[in-house]
Amino acid sequence: MDVRDLHGWPATAEEAEEIQDRLRPLLDLDGPGPQAPRLIAGLDVSYEGDGGGQGGRLAAAVVVLDAATLDVVEESVVTGTAAFPYVPGLLAFRELPALVEALRRLSATPDLLVCDGYGLAHPRRFGLACHLGVLTGLPSMGIAKTPFVGAYDPPGERRGDASPVRHDGEVVGRVLRTRDGVKPVFVSVGHRVDLDTACRHALALTPRYRLPETTRRADRLSRDALADLASPA
DNA sequence: GCGACAG
DNA sequence: ATCTTGTCGC
């Protein structure tokens, strides 16, 4: 049983957008959110072949880290198929079923979910991080590698420097420099956490590299799972 | 009307 | 996301 059986699944972009509009009011944006989480989960999905259409093979990974040491506490990875074609703004409908299943197989309950992509900084204010937060009830946030919606001024060159991302007259996220002189990342809240707290977690998760350890670990795990699919050990 | 467009 | 060679820098 997966999320598609619970509420059906959109067959068209219009239906998908309706679902986002219907779930958005369920978001908790009051914050501040977890200040000292013990377990932080990273989520990522890898695709096989041309990862643009629907039905292609994929691997969804969740890696739970000890927030204090960034050591891996638990891993979960599932293979499946893309549940929707890639459409900017509708990424969640592609990856949600596999990600939710991977989360379901976890024995630990994370205090925070860190997604590879956006939360509130989304055309309809309901990116993947928001959707996962509402479905699980867990605090969630997104860290994306490239710009999507909104305008911003380039942040300063030092780690920790940041500037707001504005869209339709609202601050929907923050461009954050996680390493000195390296291209910044885009942080936005998902559910039950505020932007300041999300950025603090983003910095805590990047002691060495531009991308957070959560997504680095989940990316490697999902990639390896796909490789094993092609040529099992 | 014409581009741009998370992963 | 994935497909791919070489190249610059620590």
Side-chain angles (χ1 to χ4, degrees), chain A residues 192-215:
Chain A
R192 297 179 57 197
V193 64
D194 65 30
L195 189 53
D196 284 328
T197 301
C199 286
R200 291 203 348 273
H201 292 317
L203 287 173
L205 291 167
T206 52
R208 171 129 197 218
Y209 300 101
R210 173 195 178 224
L211 297 181
E213 287 304 311
T214 39
T215 58

Side-chain angles (χ1 to χ4, degrees), chain A residues 49-135:
Chain A
D50 179 78
Q54 178 172 10
R57 299 290 293 175
L58 59 73
V62 180
V63 177
V64 181
L65 304 185
D66 181 306
T69 63
L70 301 188
D71 289 332
V72 176
V73 170
E74 188 178 358
E75 297 182 327
S76 174
V77 59
V78 305
T79 57
T81 55
F84 205 80
Y86 174 70
V87 179
L90 302 178
L91 174 67
F93 295 95
R94 222 171 139 59
E95 309 190 334
L96 269 177
L99 285 174
V100 168
E101 176 58 23
L103 281 169
R104 249 172 48 86
R105 298 187 186 186
L106 234 41
S107 64
T109 300
D111 300 301
L112 175 69
L113 304 181
V114 178
C115 304
D116 187 20
Y118 284 92
L120 209 61
H122 174 277
R124 285 168 298 284
R125 303 287 181 275
F126 203 74
L128 175 63
C130 297
H131 207 141
L132 270 169
V134 166
L135 289 189

